[in-house]
Amino acid sequence: MLVKTIFAGFGGQGVLIMGYTLAHGAMSAGYHVTFLPAYGAEVRGGTANCTVAISDDEIASPIASAPDYIVVLNTPSLYTFQNRIAPGGSLFLNSSIIAVEPSRRDIRIFKIPSAEMAEKMGNPRMTNTVMMGAFLKNTGLVTPDIYLASMEEVMGSKKKSIIEINRKAFTAGFEYSEEST
Amino acid sequence: MVIGEAAIRAGCRFYAGYPITPQNEIPEYMAEHLRQVEGGVFIQSESEVAAIHMVAGASAAGARSMTSSSSPGISLKQEGISSLAACQLPAVIVNMMRGGPGLGNISPSQGDYFQATRGGGHGDYRVIVLGPATAQEMADLTMDAFTLADQYRTPVMILADGMMGQMMEPVVFKEPQPRVYPEIYIMKGAGAGKSKFIRGLILDPLDMEEHNWTLDRKYQVIARKETRHELYGTDDAELILVAYGTGARIAKGAIKRLRNTGLKVGLFRPITLWPFPTNELRDLAKKVENFLVFELSTGQMLEDVRLALQGFARIGFHGRPGGVVPTPAELANVVTRQYDRKQGIIEHH
């Protein structure tokens, strides 16, 4: 088994931490894993993406030319990456700010209003965590327990209250069930 | 990050460097963690040239010392590396190669192979060059680099690329070896004893010649004793890929695909790039005659492979310079084309 996922969005939306936490979770679950970040010179507002490869065997290339899953948090990332998804793969998009329709018809598409959900819960910065809940619900790459344990470890230095609202955000995303199209 | 932690565990207590992408993860890690260990010193120097000479100073004073940079920055350090070799001072230098020549770009490349394996700076000298292919190997080889540097009193380079520099993978750190080194040369104050000096300027040609032969004898011992390589799927192979570092990872991915389609392809992966495992590679040519070199360059290690195999085997080449990282699928296609051809030298570009 070899599964590759690209997470992409604006710098500041937390796409690198999503991928890093997933990689950490997959590592605790005993898989081979690589995490490859790519970001521009800008800190906020620029583009950022990362590739996570998870396998039960040694991983040759950490780069994904035809990823199984793509998670996009903004519209430019949708344009950049949708053509790369392997046929039969899945696209997860932040439908709160992505208004355009993906052009691909041979993939599964999950529209998650993650930014609105995060805002409703009181903190738009949790958009990434809501999305992660929906992503893991539909891909099952690692169990929620493992992901949340990794999240706590990765966010180690943050306040308890921030970890707690992220747990809630993850659960909200995990329980969100708008059927895929 | 891995290199930083491995270096500190190996006893590195001095780091100097000047920022450049794609290797800023190393100075970032060292800045935070080196000051937390006793005697640890981190300096963000005013330039690459200053950094390498600070490393020389710290090394002469007896500290395990390291600097890191990426291609253009490594070019700047060559004056100091030549000096370290001349003065027989141990040091570890990390090069996370990026696209070149010139400032090039910040994408992964293997275009500095010639520079690294032929010494790099001026003069008759060599640097031990280690080419890791995984994060685990970066950790292990960083520790080994400090041991080798002390053992032979010579600079050791870790030659990786932008992908290795930024990628993360799980790692288990091995127990570092205790430091063994001849304290005799270390400059830490003569006290009541005789004064010592270390120099790279030897004006008398006969003395300089003698010094050159001394260095050369050392390099010959290294070449005889320190080559390392990995064999992967070579037992029944009909074609053998030769690749190192990131190129070797891609090659392994290609080999898995090719073996699924019934093609018997293996990999020879040099781990020491200097000394190059020439004899070990030539041994393979006793039973295989089809070789394909793969590099993220226009063909540099290719020359070492030719020195090892010319006249013994057929050598093809596939290269992607400039910061392009091809997929295992692309390489698999190239291998398939060469696999069945029986004659002629083929060069794929």
Side-chain angles (χ1 to χ4, degrees):
Chain A
M1 160 270 216
L2 171 64
V3 178
K4 291 187 179 179
T5 308
I6 291 179
F7 297 90
F10 289 127
Q13 279 185 310
V15 293
L16 298 185
I17 203 74
M18 288 171 90
Y20 181 74
T21 312
L22 173 65
H24 193 283
M27 177 181 77
S28 345
Y31 291 109
H32 290 263
V33 56
T34 61
F35 166 78
L36 183 66
Y39 40 86
E42 316 89 339
V43 176
R44 284 201 176 72
T47 58
N49 72 76
C50 65
T51 306
V52 178
I54 300 173
S55 177
D56 42 24
D57 198 3
E58 210 179 314
I59 296 163
S61 172
I63 295 173
S65 46
D68 304 274
Y69 306 122
I70 285 196
V71 180
V72 290
L73 298 189
N74 66 357
T75 310
S77 298
L78 174 68
Y79 290 133
T80 307
F81 291 108
Q82 65 170 337
N83 288 338
R84 276 219 227 163
I85 308 174
S90 300
L91 168 68
F92 295 81
L93 60 86
N94 173 13
S95 60
S96 306
I97 62 168
I98 300 176
V100 292
E101 274 296 312
S103 56
R104 292 282 292 271
R105 289 286 167 268
D106 58 341
I107 54 171
R108 295 178 71 191
I109 295 164
F110 297 90
K111 296 177 184 173
I112 315 292
S114 43
E116 289 159 80
M117 289 170 69
E119 205 147 350
K120 246 181 240 163
M121 297 179 71
N123 193 337
R125 290 171 65 190
M126 295 182 307
T127 300
N128 59 344
T129 311
V130 173
M131 182 58 100
M132 214 52 213
F135 174 75
L136 287 179
K137 168 74 173 289
N138 292 290
T139 61
L141 280 177
V142 297
T143 64
D145 285 351
I146 286 179
Y147 183 82
L148 290 171
S150 284
M151 188 181 80
E152 265 190 50
E153 207 173 316
V154 170
M155 295 173 75
S157 56
K158 305 253 178 181
K159 278 192 216 145
K160 279 261 176 302
S161 61
I162 294 182
I163 291 172
E164 205 36 55
I165 54 171
N166 270 285
R167 276 179 165 275
K168 284 186 182 138
F170 180 87
T171 308
F174 198 83
E175 285 167 356
Y176 182 80
S177 69
E178 195 239 12
E179 265 313 289
S180 74
T181 49
Chain B
M1 227 157 81
V2 168
I3 287 180
E5 178 61 26
I8 292 172
R9 286 180 187 227
C12 174
R13 290 297 177 268
F14 182 83
Y15 174 97
Y18 185 82
I20 183 172
T21 305
Q23 63 81 53
N24 287 322
E25 286 74 2
I26 299 174
E28 182 186 4
Y29 191 87
M30 293 309 252
E32 174 67 20
H33 292 87
L34 201 48
R35 65 188 171 90
Q36 293 170 12
V37 292
E38 203 190 327
V41 175
F42 168 90
I43 296 178
Q44 179 175 322
S45 57
E46 69 270 33
S47 73
E48 285 86 350
V49 181
I52 190 73
H53 288 295
M54 287 175 183
V55 162
S59 175
R64 279 197 154 170
S65 310
M66 181 168 96
T67 184
S68 65
S69 191
S70 178
S71 307
I74 293 292
S75 292
L76 290 166
K77 289 183 196 289
Q78 292 302 340
E79 174 196 334
I81 298 172
S82 173
S83 236
L84 285 162
C87 297
Q88 304 203 68
L89 288 172
V92 174
I93 301 134
V94 182
N95 181 4
M96 293 297 178
M97 292 180 280
R98 59 188 238 181
L103 282 179
N105 57 30
I106 59 170
S107 297
S109 165
Q110 296 183 326
D112 303 353
Y113 181 93
F114 281 153
Q115 184 197 53
T117 59
R118 269 61 179 166
H122 62 280
D124 235 344
Y125 77 98
R126 298 280 192 168
V127 169
I128 297 174
V129 185
L130 308 172
T134 62
Q136 181 63 54
E137 212 173 38
M138 285 210 286
D140 296 343
L141 291 181
T142 299
M143 290 185 174
D144 296 351
F146 282 100
T147 307
L148 288 165
D150 277 337
Q151 187 180 342
Y152 294 104
R153 284 180 54 191
T154 195
V156 177
M157 179 174 282
I158 294 168
L159 190 68
D161 61 66
M163 197 174 87
M164 299 291 304
Q166 295 190 309
M167 180 184 65
M168 293 188 200
E169 273 182 317
V171 159
V172 180
F173 290 99
K174 64 178 179 181
E175 277 299 312
Q177 294 177 357
R179 187 176 187 192
V180 183
Y181 62 108
E183 268 196 56
I184 185 150
Y185 70 89
I186 290 172
M187 316 280 257
K188 52 182 178 188
K194 241 180 102 188
S195 57
K196 292 182 256 187
F197 67 101
I198 294 175
R199 59 175 184 167
L201 178 71
I202 304 170
L203 287 172
D204 184 321
L206 284 175
D207 289 348
M208 189 68 221
E209 184 187 32
E210 181 46 39
H211 184 56
N212 269 297
W213 288 125
T214 302
L215 292 177
D216 185 62
R217 279 191 293 276
K218 175 168 78 176
Y219 300 142
Q220 288 192 31
V221 172
I222 296 171
R224 221 171 29 246
K225 289 170 64 176
E226 302 297 347
T227 58
R228 299 188 197 185
H229 69 286
E230 184 201 8
L231 297 176
Y232 176 78
T234 51
D235 284 347
D236 62 343
E238 296 192 0
L239 181 148
I240 291 176
L241 278 160
V242 186
Y244 71 97
T246 291
R249 294 181 75 107
I250 298 164
K252 278 190 182 176
I255 289 167
K256 278 181 198 153
R257 284 163 180 263
L258 291 160
R259 288 205 166 248
N260 284 337
T261 65
L263 267 59
K264 291 175 183 161
V265 180
L267 171 71
F268 181 87
R269 178 172 74 89
I271 296 170
T272 50
L273 302 173
W274 192 86
F276 190 79
T278 304
N279 295 331
E280 293 83 350
L281 179 58
R282 193 172 291 159
D283 280 346
L284 284 178
K286 287 175 186 156
K287 45 179 194 165
V288 185
E289 60 174 26
N290 211 353
F291 288 79
L292 187 110
V293 180
F294 169 58
E295 293 177 74
L296 305 183
S297 77
T298 54
Q300 301 196 8
M301 183 181 68
L302 175 62
E303 294 195 358
D304 282 333
V305 175
R306 283 186 178 141
L307 285 170
L309 297 180
Q310 197 83 293
F312 298 98
R314 208 150 52 81
I315 307 158
F317 175 70
H318 184 61
R320 294 298 301 269
V324 175
V325 182
T327 61
E330 173 184 322
L331 181 59
N333 285 337
V334 175
V335 172
T336 307
R337 286 205 300 275
Q338 182 174 328
Y339 191 80
D340 287 321
R341 283 192 222 173
K342 295 295 178 207
Q343 283 168 3
I345 298 288
I346 307 139
E347 301 233 343
H348 308 275
H349 290 286

